[in-house]
Amino acid sequence: MATSTKKPGTATRKRNRLYWAVPAVLVGLVLVVLIARLLVGLPAVASFLAAYPGQSELPDNAPVGFPAWLAWQHFLNAFFLLLIIRTGWQVRTSTKPSGHWTRNNKGLIRTKNAPTKITLELWFHLTLDALWVLNGLVFAVLLFATGQWTRIVPTSWDIFPNALSAALQYASLDWPTEDGWINYNALQLLAYFATVFIAAPLAFITGLRMSSAWPKKAQGLNKAYPIEWARAVHFPVMVYFVAFIVVHVFLVLATGALRNLNHMYGVRDDDGWFGFWVFLASVVVMVAAWFLARPIFLRPIASLMGKVSR
């Protein structure tokens, strides 16, 4: 009797890897919790946690609470990031574009060379990027003009041992006390700092290098900043944003959802439902934008700024 030597297909191998990856991750998480609980029970670690409770002191002039502009900025950042991640994934994985777009070479943006034809998906991605960057610039100006920067920029070296303390507390499931209205814990502060001042600029400069706006004939500049480096960094940065959003949303809901939503959407420090309803309305807007971001709706908008073709 002949024996089949047919190897499993790519889809089967991916399913097998996923089949084993899920329990492996769960086992890994259980081990992390057990090791963390073992560590916090040691006298030396207990003394460390007592000396560094997980929160670094803010400067005396640090503001308390959240202004209304920060709530709007939070929503706009979430809105743009959601669509940027969606369109970025489409640009990376689509094999058949839904259309093409060529910029009108007139008005304020006029170049000597003819504009480059790009896919409709890439046009939407770049448009969202531009709006996100503009919103980020407004955010940065307001952040430093109002003193809110002191809440997400480390101002003392003890932020690092406090961050380690907070990480141990999270891992041991004995979570640090949350009081985001006054002060984030050190791990939160470092995460927000990395997102705003490291990940966001990296996404911008790598995306700019990969875009058609980058000067292709600038040999010295292109050699100093090769496009391969930008491509190697841009996708991991997107993965970072996805991971940050997942963890951020989970902790918001798991550490006092109503109070946290009131902080971010209601600009108040209580356990009422106002922030929840504003949050729910923002989710409806984002879901609607997700489903409306289709070629049939994008083509008329894109045609206002260039020529749309198949």
Side-chain angles (χ1 to χ4, degrees):
M1 179 181 291
T3 303
S4 174
T5 58
K6 185 178 179 180
K7 295 182 179 179
T10 302
T12 302
R13 290 197 297 269
K14 287 183 178 180
R15 284 197 297 270
N16 288 339
R17 285 198 294 266
L18 182 63
Y19 177 81
W20 289 107
V22 172
V25 169
L26 292 176
V27 170
L29 290 174
V30 171
L31 288 175
V32 167
V33 172
L34 292 176
I35 293 171
R37 294 190 70 86
L38 176 64
L39 287 174
V40 298
L42 299 176
V45 177
S47 298
F48 172 79
L49 295 178
Y52 299 100
Q55 194 173 71
S56 184
E57 292 295 326
L58 294 177
D60 294 335
N61 61 343
V64 175
F66 302 98
W69 67 262
L70 194 58
W72 277 103
Q73 286 290 314
H74 185 272
F75 163 71
L76 289 173
N77 270 308
F79 178 82
F80 289 133
L81 266 179
L82 176 70
L83 294 178
I84 286 171
I85 291 169
R86 179 185 189 271
T87 55
W89 184 253
Q90 287 178 324
V91 170
R92 184 178 178 88
T93 59
S94 294
T95 57
K96 186 179 180 181
S98 59
H100 292 84
W101 178 84
T102 307
R103 175 176 55 85
N104 288 329
N105 199 17
K106 57 184 179 180
L108 294 176
I109 303 176
R110 185 179 303 174
T111 57
K112 183 184 300 184
N113 298 323
T116 303
K117 179 189 288 189
I118 60 177
T119 66
L120 192 63
E121 288 80 8
L122 181 56
W123 163 81
F124 190 38
H125 184 69
L126 294 176
T127 301
L128 291 167
D129 284 343
L131 293 173
W132 180 60
V133 169
L134 179 61
N135 186 67
L137 291 174
V138 173
F139 172 75
V141 170
L142 292 174
L143 194 70
F144 286 97
T146 61
Q148 286 287 333
W149 67 271
T150 57
R151 293 168 57 87
I152 63 170
V153 176
T155 57
S156 174
W157 287 107
D158 71 354
I159 192 74
F160 297 106
N162 273 301
L164 177 59
S165 171
L168 279 172
Q169 293 175 63
Y170 278 122
S172 65
L173 301 184
D174 184 15
W175 291 2
T177 303
E178 297 291 335
D179 194 5
W181 186 256
I182 298 175
N183 189 8
Y184 296 124
N185 70 55
L187 196 60
Q188 285 178 302
L189 191 153
L190 288 178
Y192 294 144
F193 175 80
T195 301
V196 174
F197 296 104
I198 298 177
L202 275 177
F204 170 67
I205 62 174
T206 54
L208 180 63
R209 177 64 181 90
M210 296 161 58
S211 74
S212 57
W214 187 266
K216 295 179 174 58
K217 295 183 179 181
Q219 296 182 357
L221 185 61
N222 291 337
K223 185 177 180 181
Y225 183 18
I227 192 171
E228 292 78 13
W229 184 87
R231 287 172 177 161
V233 173
H234 196 71
F235 182 71
V237 170
M238 187 193 79
V239 174
Y240 168 82
F241 274 115
V242 172
F244 173 82
I245 291 169
V246 171
V247 174
H248 178 62
V249 171
F250 171 74
L251 289 178
V252 164
L253 298 179
T255 58
L258 290 179
R259 182 173 293 272
N260 288 332
L261 292 175
N262 270 326
H263 290 175
M264 292 187 295
Y265 292 92
V267 197
R268 58 179 67 185
D269 185 30
D270 58 47
D271 293 324
W273 286 84
F274 179 75
F276 169 80
W277 294 117
V278 177
F279 165 72
L280 185 62
S282 74
V283 170
V284 171
V285 171
M286 288 189 283
V287 170
W290 180 281
F291 285 102
L292 289 174
R294 300 173 184 275
I296 190 174
F297 299 109
L298 294 179
R299 288 192 186 100
I301 301 173
S303 64
L304 298 175
M305 295 176 278
K307 179 183 178 182
V308 178
S309 59
R310 291 290 182 180

